[in-house]
Amino acid sequence: MEIKTPDWVKHAVFYQIFPDRFARSQRSRQGFLNNTNLEAWDAPPTYQGYKGGDLWGVLEQLDYIQSLGINAIYFTPIFQSASNHRYHTHDYYQVDPMLGGNQALRALIDAAHDRNMKIVLDGVFNHSSRGFFFFHDVLENGSNSPWVNWFKIIDWPLAPYDGNLPANYHAWAGIRSLPTFNHDHPDVKEYIMKIAEYWLEFGIDGWRLDVPYEIKTPGFWQEFRRRVKGINSDAYIVGEVWSDACEWLDGTQFDGVLNYLFNEATIAFAVGDRVVLEQVKYNSYYPYPALDAAEYANKIQAILKLYPWEIQLTQLNVLGSHDTSRLITIADGDQTSVELCNLLLFTFPGAPSIYYGDEVGLPGGKDPDCRRVFPPESVWNQEILNTHKQLISLRQNYPALRIGNYQVLYAVATVYIFVRSLEREELIIAVNVGTESIMVNVDCRNLQNQPHQVLFGNGEMIQKGENVCLTIPPRSGLILA
């Protein structure tokens, strides 16, 4: 079977936005939102408090987002919900009024598309919420509800709020506020398919699927793909799967997954023993223990062998997200670690994704601290920001960094060197994660061209016949063309 994935994703750089925390609009709010009970914008985030960021605010910041070199935005959920993160969906057909409603999304999609930027939404289709109309009807009418079979009821009465009583219905991770759909019910299945189709017809460019591995109904995701691609053959379908995702990446379901395997290996190598363990020991998440270059090479080669190349090119590669501590906090504030991780991110096959604020060095521990508001420019780390801009620009200027082959040239101790090649274009990426300057002879016999130009970094390069002698300063990296 020929596997086809959206070409635009192979050339995309994503920006992940948690809408409540990115930007509050200067636009006047609807009358009933003028006096809302919001937390102070610059106060530490809490589990239940709202900051009041909205889609109008994102629209007003498109110049900034585009200035980074971003050409795709992934939003965590935006539909009406009784939670600041909006994974508790009340109405799948309404953008939350606090975010500006459907009108704001319409304006944002149109403005983004005018800039050749794509918009991907979060699809929370495993579970809904206690406030979801269909579940609320079950709470009101019990076994008489027309929707009783849309959910997995165990016994009566249901206890949606009282933790001292059995809930008597299935909920995601046992959280009573998140009743799980009965996906085996044909009406539930059709309801979800129609939601996916509706927003694609509205103009979105793809879906990021929340905990898709929880939906075990045979053929569900195959039909989802058929229906989505039937509306827009170029729509992106990316699943939130943190581990080996071969089961879903066979060409009949998703185009890619959030590539936490790359994340774990890269942080374990580039941050190494600087990783603050208390920031990562949760969520079945293992960016530790530290890896040397040979171990990193083995992990990367294993990752690249997991899936067909067409799917490798449409993986969503992340260094952080709303579910992890911030990279700079994981790295105990070490700026160099952040820059090394990003060098490896932007030179890896697949679409790199920046979690809003990481590009300016925004810190943050475990949830909810990793969901801080976007900081004012006065506290931006300009060096980290410039590194992001440089690397994104290089990725956009050299197709080999996006769709070229990936070959490891050298992986010993603290030094990892690989080449990305596409036809006559070859770029060598060399990283030294150690604390000593290192000189390495790189065998270039199998390359078509001798590298002669340093595009990124501060090392030295001397050609010696068919070899290149590189001097790589401590905790640094190079890109050579």
Side-chain angles (χ1 to χ4, degrees):
M1 182 190 78
E2 182 189 4
I3 292 175
K4 183 157 178 27
T5 56
D7 277 338
W8 66 265
V9 179
K10 300 162 192 170
H11 304 280
V13 177
F14 276 82
Y15 195 68
Q16 180 193 342
I17 293 178
F18 189 94
D20 186 60
R21 307 293 157 79
F22 182 64
R24 266 188 201 162
S25 173
Q26 300 308 307
R27 185 182 292 236
S28 62
R29 292 176 170 272
Q30 298 173 33
F32 67 92
L33 291 177
N34 283 332
N35 300 296
T36 45
N37 177 33
L38 298 177
E39 288 182 346
W41 184 253
D42 55 357
T46 62
Y47 282 114
Q48 291 182 294
Y50 290 82
K51 298 293 188 184
D54 56 29
L55 297 185
W56 295 120
V58 178
L59 180 63
E60 290 163 4
Q61 294 300 322
L62 282 182
D63 283 347
Y64 165 73
I65 294 170
Q66 193 170 31
S67 76
L68 298 173
I70 301 294
N71 51 15
I73 301 174
Y74 149 51
F75 287 99
T76 55
I78 64 170
F79 301 128
Q80 185 179 305
S81 173
S83 62
N84 58 41
H85 50 74
R86 297 183 170 87
Y87 282 93
H88 299 50
T89 312
H90 277 187
D91 188 338
Y92 288 91
Y93 286 98
Q94 296 297 324
V95 174
D96 198 300
M98 285 189 67
L99 296 181
N102 293 12
Q103 176 191 5
L105 180 61
R106 172 80 279 144
L108 178 59
I109 289 173
D110 291 345
H113 286 174
D114 285 346
R115 299 166 181 255
N116 294 315
M117 297 169 78
K118 305 288 190 182
I119 300 292
V120 172
L121 297 187
D122 207 317
V124 188
F125 300 137
N126 173 66
H127 49 266
S128 59
S129 72
R130 288 179 294 221
F132 180 56
F133 168 78
F134 302 88
F135 188 74
H136 188 72
D137 193 282
V138 177
L139 294 180
E140 292 289 332
N141 298 303
S143 60
N144 295 308
S145 171
W147 319 108
V148 69
N149 293 321
W150 278 43
F151 304 94
K152 298 175 181 178
I153 308 300
I154 301 166
D155 200 358
W156 303 98
L158 305 187
Y161 289 98
D162 189 345
N164 296 314
L165 299 173
N168 282 337
Y169 59 89
H170 286 273
W172 181 73
I175 301 169
R176 291 168 197 250
S177 56
L178 301 175
T180 305
F181 281 117
N182 173 17
H183 299 91
D184 293 335
H185 194 296
D187 292 353
V188 170
K189 191 173 177 182
E190 185 60 21
Y191 178 76
I192 292 170
M193 300 298 162
K194 280 191 158 32
I195 294 163
E197 292 174 326
Y198 176 85
W199 290 108
L200 286 160
E201 288 169 345
F202 193 89
I204 72 166
D205 301 289
W207 286 105
R208 178 268 193 191
L209 302 170
D210 185 58
V211 296
Y213 46 85
E214 299 280 1
I215 298 178
K216 305 187 189 304
T217 300
F220 185 93
W221 291 122
Q222 285 83 353
E223 180 174 347
F224 185 89
R225 183 182 183 87
R226 285 194 298 272
R227 300 280 286 266
V228 163
K229 301 291 186 176
I231 301 293
N232 177 1
S233 60
D234 259 349
Y236 184 36
I237 304 172
V238 57
E240 184 210 8
V241 182
W242 290 50
S243 54
D244 178 339
C246 287
E247 181 181 342
W248 298 275
L249 296 181
D250 60 356
T252 71
Q253 299 172 80
F254 310 156
D255 298 310
V257 295
L258 275 75
N259 199 351
Y260 282 101
L261 294 178
F262 166 80
N263 167 306
E264 291 173 340
T266 299
I267 292 175
F269 173 59
V271 184
D273 57 13
R274 294 167 184 78
V275 167
V276 180
L277 291 177
E278 68 185 45
Q279 296 294 347
V280 295
K281 284 198 168 182
Y282 66 108
N283 272 5
S284 303
Y285 180 50
Y286 304 103
Y288 61 90
L291 299 175
D292 65 21
E295 292 166 330
Y296 182 63
N298 289 337
K299 290 228 177 201
I300 290 298
Q301 297 287 33
I303 290 167
L304 290 174
K305 286 174 183 170
L306 271 179
Y307 317 121
W309 185 245
E310 182 74 6
I311 281 176
Q312 295 286 356
L313 295 176
T314 47
Q315 292 287 81
L316 192 62
N317 298 330
V318 296
L319 292 175
S321 75
H322 63 290
D323 287 322
T324 65
S325 299
R326 293 274 181 177
L327 178 59
I328 197 161
T329 298
I330 290 173
D332 203 21
D334 183 53
Q335 176 178 320
T336 307
S337 290
V338 172
E339 293 174 338
L340 289 173
C341 284
N342 277 285
L343 173 56
L344 292 164
L345 172 72
F346 287 103
T347 54
F348 196 69
S353 178
I354 301 167
Y355 181 40
Y356 79 97
D358 279 359
E359 78 280 10
V360 295
L362 179 63
K366 295 178 187 176
D367 174 24
D369 197 40
C370 57
R371 302 171 182 183
R372 297 186 192 186
V373 298
F374 189 80
E377 190 170 354
S378 59
V379 298
W380 291 1
N381 184 315
Q382 294 291 343
E383 291 176 349
I384 291 178
L385 178 60
N386 289 335
T387 297
H388 275 81
K389 287 182 174 180
Q390 271 185 280
L391 291 169
I392 292 170
S393 176
L394 286 170
R395 187 176 178 91
Q396 290 175 336
N397 287 330
Y398 290 91
L401 291 178
R402 305 193 299 272
I403 57 174
N405 293 325
Y406 186 108
Q407 180 191 352
V408 178
L409 297 180
Y410 185 91
V412 177
T414 64
V415 177
Y416 181 71
I417 303 173
F418 60 99
V419 62
R420 298 294 309 276
S421 57
L422 182 69
E423 297 170 350
R424 296 287 298 172
E425 185 175 282
E426 293 169 322
L427 285 91
I428 293 175
I429 298 89
V431 174
N432 173 19
V433 302
T435 54
E436 305 287 335
S437 182
I438 290 193
M439 187 180 293
V440 178
N441 278 311
V442 183
D443 185 347
C444 296
R445 281 175 298 179
N446 293 326
L447 302 183
Q448 297 184 63
N449 309 296
Q450 285 282 343
H452 62 274
Q453 180 185 7
V454 177
L455 299 176
F456 177 89
N458 298 312
E460 293 181 7
M461 173 180 61
I462 301 170
Q463 288 182 318
K464 292 185 175 179
E466 293 179 318
N467 289 358
V468 169
C469 181
L470 293 179
T471 302
I472 315 171
R475 306 288 296 155
S476 71
L478 299 169
I479 300 178
L480 312 172

